[in-house]
Amino acid sequence: MIFSHIGKIVEADFRAIPNHYPNVSLDAFQVMPNHLHAIITIKETSRRDTTPSCPANELQPAPRQRQFGKPVKGSLSTIIGAYKSGVTIKVQNAGLQFKEPLWQSRFYDHVIRYDVDFFMVQQYISPNPVMWEHDIDNPNAKPISFAEFEKILEEKYHISGKALYMIVNSKKFGRLRIT
């Protein structure tokens, strides 16, 4: 991918998320022309409870209860909201123009619970530039045969077996111009 000026802001600010949230780490991510894929890990945080019934130095789990309409500090939605807001402000301050809204109002999240799932999501993220080359939203999309696509995934990204199956069965694959 060759980033536009906006793409460079999107990538730099994404890489900077752990600087703002020390309990957050980033894994695989890919900035695309019209979306972003990423694995974000949020480590459990704790706070000191100083109520009389609890010793001052005892750590208690941070409150996780969300009240309707109130953001939870350090939650994924709060992190993504702050990220999108920061990027938007930087893009506007740079005087950059964009034809459509910079962000969708929502984002898709998936809780990764198992190592196999983690690996599969990593494998899904890495070939996204190849997928974009053939995506129906790309005005310069080139048709590709399934055999050619499979060969690229296997040779360039070493993706085969269950990971290839996951990509082929994803919504993303359905967006490709397959001949």
Side-chain angles (χ1 to χ4, degrees), residues 12-32:
D13 276 26
F14 189 79
R15 287 186 187 277
I17 287 174
N19 299 339
H20 304 285
Y21 301 92
N23 63 320
V24 171
S25 62
L26 307 176
D27 196 86
F29 75 93
Q30 183 65 56
V31 177
M32 299 298 294

Side-chain angles (χ1 to χ4, degrees), residues 13-14 16-26 40-43 45 72-83:
D13 276 26
F14 189 79
I17 287 174
N19 299 339
H20 304 285
Y21 301 92
N23 63 320
V24 171
S25 62
L26 307 176
I40 298 174
T41 302
I42 302 174
K43 298 175 202 99
T45 59
V72 175
K73 183 180 179 183
S75 69
L76 182 61
S77 58
T78 302
I79 293 166
I80 297 299
Y83 165 71

Side-chain angles (χ1 to χ4, degrees), residues 101-142:
L102 190 56
W103 301 107
Q104 296 176 353
S105 59
R106 298 174 184 250
F107 65 93
Y108 173 78
D109 64 336
H110 168 77
V111 177
I112 300 173
R113 299 187 190 281
Y114 307 102
D115 289 343
V116 170
D117 195 20
F118 188 82
F119 172 76
M120 299 292 262
V121 174
Q122 284 177 319
Q123 297 304 300
Y124 176 80
I125 290 172
S126 63
N128 261 262
V130 171
M131 292 173 147
W132 175 252
E133 222 177 296
H134 310 285
D135 191 290
I136 59 175
D137 280 345
N138 179 350
N140 302 317
K142 299 176 255 175

Side-chain angles (χ1 to χ4, degrees), residues 84-98:
K84 288 163 64 170
S85 176
V87 168
T88 301
I89 289 167
K90 286 181 181 176
V91 167
Q92 289 171 341
N93 288 345
L96 300 170
Q97 302 292 318
F98 41 97

